[in-house]
Amino acid sequence: MRGNTRCGRPILWDRRQWLQQAGAGCGWLGLIGLLWDEQRRQAQAASPLGKRALNPMAPQPTHFPAKAKHVIWIFINGGPSHVDTWDYKPALEKWHGKSIREFDPDFKNTTGFFKNAVGSLMKSPFRFSPRGECGKMVSEIFPYLGEHVDKMAFIHSGFTESNNHSPALFMMNTGFPRMGYPCVGAWVTYGLGSESQNLPGFVVMTDPKGRGLPKGHAANWSAGFLPGVYQGTHLRPAGQPIENLVPPAELAGPLQRAQLDLLRSMNQYEAARLPGDEELAARIESFELAFRMQAAAPEAIDIENETEATHRLYGVGRPECDHFARQCLVARRLIERGVRFVQIYSGGMENQRSWDGHADIQGNHAQFAGETDQPVAGLLQDLAQRGLLEETLVIWCGEFGRLPVAQIGDKPGRDHNPHCFTAWLAGGGVRGGVSYGESDEIGYRAEVNRVHINDLHATILHLLGIDHTRLTFKYNGRQFRLTDVGGKVIDAILA
Amino acid sequence: MRNGYTPQHWQVPKPEGWTRTSFHRAALAEWLMDVENGAGNLAARVIVNRIWQHHFGRGIVATPSDFGSQGEPPTHPELLEWLATDLVHHGWRLKRLHKLIMTSAVYMQSSRYDEQRASVDRENHLLWRFSPRRLEAEPIRDAMLAVSGMLDTTMYGPGTLDPNMRRRSIYFFIKRSQLIPMMMLFDWPEHLVGIGQRATTTVAPQALALMNSPQCRQYARGFAERVLAQPESQRLAYAFLAAWTRIPGDEQILQARRFLEEQALRHQQAGNGDGTLAAWTDFCQALISASPFLYVE
């Protein structure tokens, strides 16, 4: 509530106060929504953010009780092959070596990226075995994650609108295949604010092994037309993790504090001279917050004080996965400290630098699964042990799937497949050990209970207590949503 | 089209032998400026409103991109009409419009707060005072460069992506994948989308940039060197005037003197030379990070 009653007078359009004054009765909610809309309309007329500009990260009430408070999205960058990971397709044994046209005479070869390298149908090079109590068939490349299938809800019938990395990344992150729209993390922090005022509300981590950024770069964690404060803060893989976090050397120790005391006094004089301007009061607070961030942010991302057992759990120190283990552990520390949304990209750019297994699908996926399997499993277990999994939604998902046919090369690979992908969700109000939707017999196309990305986004928002049709921002003459004009919550995977 | 005109009415004849372009854009411009039969009246109101918004923080119509049924009604419709008419009658000269606005009594009002008036019009929609307003990203940076004495006033020519460049911020080249961090912090819009009104946020990363970014530190240092070039008795007044265009009350002056003395001592103890330049740099940095510098009133 900090900032909302500054100068001793309540700001009219505070949803939380409405809720409190209305006794939080459920019957009021609809009315409150209307009032909020009206007040927000008026507020937006003055500024795109209205009074929220004073503290845009102040926690906001949800539309209905939330199951999840935080999100950790493991972005399987490059496009994981569903038939080699979670979508077991025994029929591919039967079709192995045959043309996809035998399976589907109408196949038009309009899917993949490399149209001159379309091979025959190819079974997975990996063995699958039943795991967990639910008996989910899991690829051998996930020995650790296989332990946690009873926590996961699998979606096997996802599909997207582009077969090219950047547009597909934008689609998965923003719901639109073009750049310029706010991503899920931006919408969520816009809708809910953050519980941490000392740390950024939305944090993004990318590959620290020098393999580059995901295609489309920062547009993937952009705030689009939402105010820029809601864009993801990119934790830099090397050097200062957050820009401008470290004071100039000559201002070390008490010197900067003395300077800030002077500055605070200057700002207080100004605020006293011009009463009634809450922005001036917020400005004073922003420097204090920044000063606290200088200490809070390095502390949050420092994993050295974690126990040896925790390090081992995540795989810190194991050469193949040390980098990702550290990022997963940082993610837990961040959400523990109130950060709303964390996204970690596995892999860098395309081809061999990420899960983009055009060449040698076996080597590629074994490598990237090896980089992430134990760290993500460790994260799930650690969250569960600390009672954080109930309130933290963990997402495993890339931008598209891969084709069941081989991509011809020295070692066979697989090309992009926008018609089908698998994602899983765990924790935060998700029912564990279930599989929703089905791809066709060979995993070429999502067939049963098809899940559009709008549906996936609607479900994520729902778990966070947000009605996806009511989280809107007016831009270019109309109210925009993360789910645009679509989106259906997948009830079957809710706990 | 209105009044029975077809688009051909605004078609601009191509020069003799011209084949490269259709001249449709010229026709669009003709239509846009045509107050008799084209969109001229609306165009005049829209640009007047945007320039008003630029000066006051809020347009006469608060939704600059929406004059339709979904937009806000104007707070001062007659004024908008008068200014739009004046603009058209004087050859669409924007400089005259800026001058009209900026020399008006309403623009030159003080920012003084008045509880009685505020109780009637809390948001100051009726402009009973000049609402203090944060500068946009470009003038914040430009003004810092100016007081530091480091501003390169060269005009024209190509822009750059170098965040350390010293020309006005308008010379930043805009590359969508490589936006200038300092500008983005102070609500430079995403350049992928058209924005009629920028957000004005007050967030900690702005404070971090003012406190810790090498650029701000460099500007403060340049500013301090300029101040130290003045006779000792005039330094404080010079610094306040340069940064805030006014000299504050005795209490603040006293506080500034005390800070400079004590901070110089602290710097001495920390081994930063005799501490004078360092203390003045810290002081100048505070001046250009403070609200009187960042806000227009």
Side-chain angles (χ1 to χ4, degrees):
Chain A
M1 292 303 288
R2 199 166 44 76
N4 286 334
T5 54
R6 220 176 285 276
C7 306
R9 54 188 180 79
I11 295 155
L12 285 174
W13 33 81
D14 180 324
R15 286 188 289 186
R16 184 166 284 194
Q17 280 174 351
W18 276 104
L19 279 167
Q20 283 167 348
Q21 282 160 17
C26 286
W28 282 89
L29 275 169
L31 175 62
I32 292 158
L34 288 176
L35 287 168
W36 162 248
D37 285 346
E38 173 61 20
Q39 283 148 1
R40 188 177 49 184
R41 201 176 63 81
Q42 289 172 6
Q44 279 183 1
S47 140
L49 204 50
K51 289 290 175 189
R52 293 265 304 273
L54 294 178
N55 182 7
M57 285 301 176
Q60 302 294 320
T62 56
H63 293 140
F64 40 80
K67 295 281 170 49
K69 283 185 181 168
H70 317 276
V71 178
I72 298 175
W73 185 324
I74 310 293
F75 203 105
I76 306 301
N77 181 28
S81 168
H82 46 291
V83 300
D84 298 311
T85 52
W86 310 102
D87 196 4
Y88 177 51
K89 289 292 158 192
L92 276 177
E93 302 269 352
K94 183 177 78 187
W95 291 101
H96 185 73
K98 295 182 177 146
S99 163
I100 194 171
R101 287 202 174 73
E102 287 186 51
F103 174 79
D104 175 13
D106 292 332
F107 180 75
K108 295 267 186 348
N109 188 21
T110 54
T111 298
F113 213 70
F114 298 94
K115 299 195 192 325
N116 299 324
V118 180
S120 43
L121 285 162
M122 177 172 75
K123 66 181 181 185
S124 177
F126 304 119
R127 276 181 293 119
F128 281 68
S129 54
R131 306 294 300 273
E133 281 181 29
C134 63
K136 182 74 185 171
M137 292 297 280
V138 177
S139 167
E140 63 184 333
I141 57 178
F142 295 128
Y144 288 88
L145 277 171
E147 293 293 305
H148 299 280
V149 288
D150 293 323
K151 299 185 179 79
M152 302 170 184
F154 293 91
I155 296 168
H156 288 306
S157 51
F159 65 97
T160 185
E161 294 180 6
S162 175
N163 74 339
N164 188 5
H165 291 291
S166 305
L169 273 151
F170 298 150
M171 184 76 202
M172 181 52 76
N173 278 316
T174 72
F176 293 84
R178 298 173 300 281
M179 53 172 101
Y181 295 90
C183 67
V184 184
W187 276 110
V188 167
T189 37
Y190 160 67
L192 297 178
S194 179
E195 291 181 338
S196 168
Q197 302 301 313
N198 295 342
L199 294 168
F202 169 24
V203 174
V204 179
M205 289 180 260
T206 55
D207 187 60
K209 297 187 71 131
R211 292 174 294 196
L213 292 171
K215 300 277 271 181
H217 300 180
N220 287 301
W221 47 91
S222 147
F225 46 74
L226 293 176
V229 293
Y230 298 114
Q231 77 185 343
T233 297
H234 184 211
L235 276 195
R236 297 197 203 154
Q240 279 187 39
I242 298 176
E243 202 146 29
N244 306 323
L245 195 62
V246 180
E250 61 193 52
L251 273 176
L255 284 156
Q256 187 175 56
R257 187 62 254 180
Q259 184 199 33
L260 286 178
D261 287 342
L262 173 75
L263 177 60
R264 183 174 56 193
S265 163
M266 287 173 173
N267 285 340
Q268 276 167 346
Y269 272 107
E270 188 71 356
R273 202 171 65 83
L274 300 167
D277 281 288
E278 292 157 81
E279 209 179 312
L280 296 178
R283 176 71 50 194
I284 297 171
E285 182 54 32
S286 73
F287 280 96
E288 294 308 313
L289 179 54
F291 188 71
R292 292 199 296 273
M293 265 177 102
Q294 287 181 169
E299 188 276 335
I301 59 175
D302 177 13
I303 63 164
E304 295 313 316
N305 287 329
E306 295 281 340
T307 64
E308 171 118 29
T310 304
H311 281 199
R312 263 205 312 277
L313 176 66
Y314 283 78
V316 174
R318 270 185 63 202
E320 64 268 49
C321 68
D322 179 77
H323 64 291
F324 209 76
R326 288 172 180 273
Q327 290 179 318
C328 285
L329 188 44
V330 166
R332 191 216 80 214
R333 290 177 64 87
L334 290 173
I335 60 122
E336 217 172 20
R337 284 157 180 75
V339 171
R340 185 68 71 187
F341 203 102
V342 180
Q343 201 176 34
I344 316 175
Y345 285 83
S346 165
M349 302 197 304
E350 73 281 67
N351 296 329
Q352 73 283 3
R353 289 164 292 203
S354 66
W355 292 72
D356 191 26
H358 288 285
D360 187 16
I361 190 74
Q362 184 171 12
N364 174 282
H365 271 37
Q367 178 196 335
F368 282 94
E371 290 186 13
T372 52
D373 180 40
Q374 189 185 356
V376 180
L379 175 67
L380 288 174
Q381 191 175 330
D382 197 20
L383 288 172
Q385 280 165 359
R386 290 167 192 261
L388 285 167
L389 191 58
E390 286 160 38
E391 58 179 57
T392 306
L393 174 64
V394 180
I395 303 170
W396 186 102
C397 182
E399 68 266 39
F400 42 52
R402 305 199 82 84
L403 290 172
V405 294
Q407 180 175 334
I408 298 165
D410 287 346
K411 292 178 179 170
R414 292 195 196 273
D415 205 343
H416 308 167
N417 183 2
H419 306 304
C420 189
F421 65 81
T422 288
W424 60 252
L425 284 67
V430 171
R431 193 200 294 190
V434 297
S435 297
Y436 180 81
E438 287 172 34
S439 55
D440 61 22
E441 195 186 338
I442 59 170
Y444 171 61
R445 186 174 176 278
E447 201 161 73
V448 181
N449 289 329
R450 286 163 60 79
V451 172
H452 189 273
I453 285 171
N454 290 157
D455 304 334
L456 181 63
H457 289 164
T459 309
I460 294 169
L461 292 184
H462 178 88
L463 290 163
L464 289 159
I466 301 173
D467 175 349
H468 71 100
T469 65
R470 284 168 60 201
L471 181 65
T472 61
F473 192 86
K474 189 165 182 185
Y475 166 67
N476 259 1
R478 77 164 168 106
Q479 298 286 356
F480 272 84
R481 310 189 329 221
L482 171 59
T483 51
D484 200 22
V485 293
K488 205 171 137 285
V489 175
I490 311 167
D491 292 317
I493 66 163
L494 307 179
Chain B
M1 288 284 167
R2 221 169 46 171
N3 301 348
Y5 288 99
T6 61
Q8 279 69 44
H9 177 73
W10 293 279
Q11 186 60 53
V12 177
K14 288 187 229 179
E16 194 78 34
W18 186 268
T19 52
R20 267 190 337 115
T21 53
S22 66
F23 268 64
H24 285 169
R25 281 175 298 180
L28 175 67
E30 286 291 323
W31 172 76
L32 209 56
M33 309 297 274
D34 183 347
V35 290
E36 297 299 325
N37 301 302
N41 290 316
L42 181 60
R45 288 181 202 120
V46 166
I47 189 63
V48 161
N49 190 59
R50 285 188 174 228
I51 286 172
W52 185 275
Q53 171 187 284
H54 179 78
H55 287 302
F56 287 91
R58 185 186 197 273
I60 297 171
V61 174
T63 48
S65 304
D66 193 348
F67 277 37
S69 59
Q70 298 280 302
E72 290 289 306
T75 47
H76 303 79
E78 298 88 350
L79 174 62
L80 180 63
E81 215 54 19
W82 186 84
L83 285 170
T85 307
D86 183 83
L87 178 72
V88 173
H89 283 172
H90 291 89
W92 297 81
R93 292 211 319 273
L94 296 181
K95 194 161 187 174
R96 178 187 157 86
L97 177 61
H98 282 290
K99 207 165 167 182
L100 260 177
I101 292 176
M102 294 178 79
T103 55
S104 69
V106 65
Y107 183 81
M108 293 192 289
Q109 286 185 101
S110 88
S111 297
R112 194 179 311 135
Y113 187 76
D114 182 319
E115 185 53 47
Q116 200 191 337
R117 286 168 167 167
S119 67
V120 179
D121 177 22
R122 182 74 63 189
E123 296 298 312
N124 191 29
H125 289 174
L126 301 175
L127 301 170
W128 50 267
R129 67 165 182 156
F130 190 91
S131 292
R133 210 154 52 73
R134 204 203 72 204
L135 290 171
E136 293 174 312
E138 295 90 336
I140 288 177
R141 181 182 162 280
D142 294 355
M144 284 182 176
L145 276 166
V147 295
S148 75
M150 293 158 70
L151 182 67
D152 174 354
T153 54
T154 311
M155 286 173 74
Y156 313 119
T160 173
L161 282 168
D162 176 12
N164 294 312
M165 73 115 171
R166 292 179 180 181
R167 298 175 71 193
R168 288 181 57 206
S169 306
I170 198 171
Y171 292 104
F172 275 127
F173 183 79
I174 291 166
K175 187 176 177 186
R176 296 183 304 190
S177 59
Q178 212 179 322
L179 296 170
I180 309 295
M182 167 88 175
M183 297 286 103
M184 294 308 289
L185 275 179
F186 286 96
D187 305 303
W188 227 26
E190 277 277 346
H191 293 82
L192 301 164
V193 291
I195 295 269
Q197 191 183 19
R198 292 189 186 183
T200 306
T201 59
T202 309
V203 291
Q206 292 168 0
L208 283 175
L210 294 167
M211 289 154 61
N212 299 337
S213 75
Q215 283 92 7
C216 286
R217 193 68 190 159
Q218 214 183 359
Y219 305 154
R221 168 84 179 241
F223 187 14
E225 281 166 358
R226 278 182 80 202
V227 174
L228 283 170
Q230 309 300 315
E232 197 167 347
S233 62
Q234 289 167 34
R235 283 176 189 164
L236 259 184
Y238 178 88
F240 275 116
L241 274 176
W244 297 2
T245 60
R246 64 183 155 84
I247 296 174
D250 293 344
E251 216 177 325
Q252 271 190 282
I253 295 281
L254 216 70
Q255 198 174 40
R257 283 194 206 292
R258 206 163 49 232
F259 171 82
L260 284 164
E261 271 172 37
E262 294 172 2
Q263 192 78 343
L265 215 63
R266 285 188 209 104
H267 274 299
Q268 265 177 36
Q269 284 161 0
N272 298 333
D274 79 341
T276 311
L277 178 59
W280 274 97
T281 303
D282 297 351
F283 178 71
C284 288
Q285 192 179 12
L287 281 182
I288 58 175
S289 305
S291 298
F293 185 82
L294 300 177
Y295 291 78
V296 198
E297 54 165 310

Coordinates of all heavy atoms in Angstrom, one line a residue, chain A residues 215-243:
Chain A
K215 N 16.6 -15.5 -30.6 CA 16.3 -14.7 -31.8 C 15.3 -13.7 -31.5 O 14.3 -14.0 -30.8 CB 15.8 -15.6 -32.9 CG 16.8 -16.7 -33.3 CD 17.8 -16.2 -34.3 CE 17.3 -16.4 -35.7 NZ 18.3 -15.9 -36.7
G216 N 15.5 -12.4 -32.0 CA 14.5 -11.4 -31.6 C 15.0 -10.6 -30.4 O 14.4 -9.6 -30.1
H217 N 16.0 -11.1 -29.7 CA 16.6 -10.4 -28.6 C 15.6 -9.9 -27.6 O 14.7 -10.6 -27.2 CB 17.5 -9.3 -29.1 CG 18.6 -9.7 -30.0 ND1 19.5 -8.9 -30.6 CD2 18.9 -11.0 -30.5 CE1 20.4 -9.5 -31.3 NE2 20.0 -10.8 -31.2
A218 N 15.8 -8.6 -27.2 CA 15.1 -8.1 -26.1 C 13.6 -7.9 -26.4 O 12.8 -7.7 -25.5 CB 15.7 -6.7 -25.7
A219 N 13.2 -8.0 -27.7 CA 11.8 -7.9 -28.0 C 11.0 -9.0 -27.3 O 9.8 -8.9 -27.2 CB 11.6 -7.9 -29.5
N220 N 11.7 -10.1 -27.0 CA 11.0 -11.2 -26.3 C 10.7 -10.9 -24.8 O 9.8 -11.6 -24.3 CB 11.9 -12.4 -26.3 CG 12.0 -13.0 -27.7 OD1 11.0 -13.4 -28.2 ND2 13.2 -13.1 -28.2
W221 N 11.3 -9.9 -24.2 CA 10.9 -9.5 -22.9 C 10.5 -8.1 -22.8 O 10.6 -7.4 -21.8 CB 11.9 -9.9 -21.8 CG 13.4 -9.5 -22.1 CD1 14.0 -8.3 -21.8 CD2 14.4 -10.3 -22.8 NE1 15.3 -8.4 -22.2 CE2 15.5 -9.6 -22.8 CE3 14.4 -11.6 -23.4 CZ2 16.7 -10.0 -23.4 CZ3 15.5 -12.1 -24.0 CH2 16.7 -11.3 -24.0
S222 N 10.0 -7.6 -24.0 CA 9.6 -6.2 -24.1 C 8.3 -5.9 -23.4 O 7.4 -6.8 -23.3 CB 9.5 -5.9 -25.6 OG 8.5 -4.9 -25.8
A223 N 8.1 -4.7 -23.1 CA 6.8 -4.2 -22.5 C 5.9 -3.8 -23.7 O 4.7 -3.4 -23.4 CB 7.0 -3.1 -21.5
G224 N 6.3 -3.8 -24.9 CA 5.5 -3.4 -26.0 C 4.9 -2.0 -25.8 O 5.6 -1.0 -25.5
F225 N 3.6 -1.9 -25.9 CA 2.9 -0.6 -25.7 C 2.6 -0.4 -24.2 O 2.1 0.7 -23.9 CB 1.7 -0.5 -26.5 CG 0.8 -1.7 -26.5 CD1 0.0 -2.0 -25.3 CD2 0.7 -2.6 -27.5 CE1 -0.8 -3.1 -25.3 CE2 -0.1 -3.7 -27.5 CZ -0.8 -4.0 -26.3
L226 N 2.9 -1.3 -23.3 CA 2.8 -1.0 -21.9 C 3.9 -0.1 -21.5 O 5.0 -0.1 -22.1 CB 2.8 -2.3 -21.1 CG 1.7 -3.3 -21.2 CD1 2.0 -4.6 -20.4 CD2 0.4 -2.7 -20.8
P227 N 3.8 0.6 -20.4 CA 4.9 1.5 -19.9 C 6.2 0.7 -19.8 O 6.1 -0.5 -19.3 CB 4.4 2.0 -18.6 CG 2.9 2.0 -18.7 CD 2.6 0.8 -19.6
G228 N 7.3 1.3 -20.1 CA 8.6 0.6 -20.1 C 9.0 -0.1 -18.8 O 9.8 -1.0 -18.8
V229 N 8.4 0.4 -17.7 CA 8.8 -0.2 -16.4 C 8.5 -1.7 -16.3 O 9.0 -2.4 -15.5 CB 8.1 0.5 -15.2 CG1 8.6 1.9 -15.1 CG2 6.6 0.5 -15.3
Y230 N 7.6 -2.1 -17.2 CA 7.2 -3.6 -17.1 C 8.0 -4.5 -18.0 O 7.7 -5.7 -18.0 CB 5.7 -3.7 -17.4 CG 4.8 -2.9 -16.5 CD1 4.1 -1.8 -16.9 CD2 4.8 -3.3 -15.1 CE1 3.3 -1.1 -16.0 CE2 4.0 -2.5 -14.2 CZ 3.3 -1.5 -14.6 OH 2.6 -0.7 -13.7
Q231 N 9.0 -3.9 -18.7 CA 9.8 -4.8 -19.4 C 10.7 -5.7 -18.5 O 11.0 -5.3 -17.4 CB 10.6 -4.1 -20.4 CG 11.8 -3.4 -19.8 CD 12.6 -2.5 -20.8 OE1 12.4 -2.7 -22.0 NE2 13.4 -1.6 -20.3
G232 N 11.1 -6.8 -19.0 CA 12.0 -7.7 -18.2 C 13.3 -7.0 -18.0 O 13.9 -6.4 -18.9
T233 N 13.9 -7.2 -16.8 CA 15.2 -6.8 -16.5 C 16.2 -7.9 -16.8 O 16.0 -9.0 -16.3 CB 15.4 -6.4 -15.0 OG1 14.5 -5.3 -14.7 CG2 16.8 -6.1 -14.7
H234 N 17.1 -7.7 -17.8 CA 18.0 -8.7 -18.2 C 19.1 -8.8 -17.2 O 19.9 -7.9 -17.1 CB 18.4 -8.4 -19.6 CG 19.3 -9.4 -20.2 ND1 20.3 -9.2 -21.1 CD2 19.3 -10.8 -20.1 CE1 20.9 -10.3 -21.5 NE2 20.3 -11.3 -20.9
L235 N 19.2 -10.0 -16.5 CA 20.4 -10.2 -15.7 C 21.5 -10.5 -16.6 O 21.5 -11.6 -17.2 CB 20.2 -11.3 -14.7 CG 19.4 -11.1 -13.4 CD1 19.7 -12.3 -12.5 CD2 19.8 -9.8 -12.7
R236 N 22.5 -9.7 -16.7 CA 23.6 -9.9 -17.6 C 24.4 -11.1 -17.1 O 24.7 -11.3 -15.9 CB 24.5 -8.7 -17.6 CG 23.8 -7.5 -18.1 CD 24.9 -6.5 -18.5 NE 24.4 -5.2 -18.6 CZ 25.2 -4.1 -18.4 NH1 26.4 -4.3 -18.1 NH2 24.7 -2.9 -18.5
P237 N 24.8 -12.0 -18.1 CA 25.5 -13.2 -17.7 C 26.9 -12.9 -17.2 O 27.4 -13.7 -16.4 CB 25.6 -13.9 -19.1 CG 24.7 -13.3 -20.0 CD 24.5 -11.9 -19.5
A238 N 27.5 -11.8 -17.5 CA 28.8 -11.5 -17.0 C 28.9 -10.1 -16.5 O 28.2 -9.2 -16.9 CB 29.9 -11.8 -18.1
G239 N 29.9 -9.8 -15.6 CA 30.1 -8.4 -15.1 C 28.9 -8.0 -14.2 O 28.3 -8.9 -13.5
Q240 N 28.6 -6.7 -14.2 CA 27.6 -6.2 -13.3 C 26.2 -6.8 -13.8 O 25.9 -6.7 -15.0 CB 27.4 -4.7 -13.5 CG 28.4 -3.9 -12.6 CD 28.1 -2.4 -12.7 OE1 26.9 -2.0 -12.7 NE2 29.1 -1.6 -12.8
P241 N 25.5 -7.5 -12.9 CA 24.3 -8.2 -13.4 C 23.2 -7.2 -13.8 O 22.5 -7.5 -14.7 CB 23.9 -9.0 -12.2 CG 24.5 -8.4 -11.0 CD 25.8 -7.8 -11.5
I242 N 23.1 -6.1 -13.1 CA 22.1 -5.1 -13.5 C 22.8 -3.8 -13.7 O 23.8 -3.5 -13.0 CB 21.1 -4.9 -12.4 CG1 20.3 -6.2 -12.1 CG2 20.1 -3.8 -12.7 CD1 19.3 -6.2 -11.0
E243 N 22.4 -3.1 -14.8 CA 23.1 -1.9 -15.1 C 23.0 -0.9 -14.0 O 22.0 -0.7 -13.3 CB 22.3 -1.3 -16.3 CG 23.2 -0.4 -17.1 CD 22.8 -0.5 -18.6 OE1 21.7 -0.8 -19.0 OE2 23.7 -0.2 -19.4

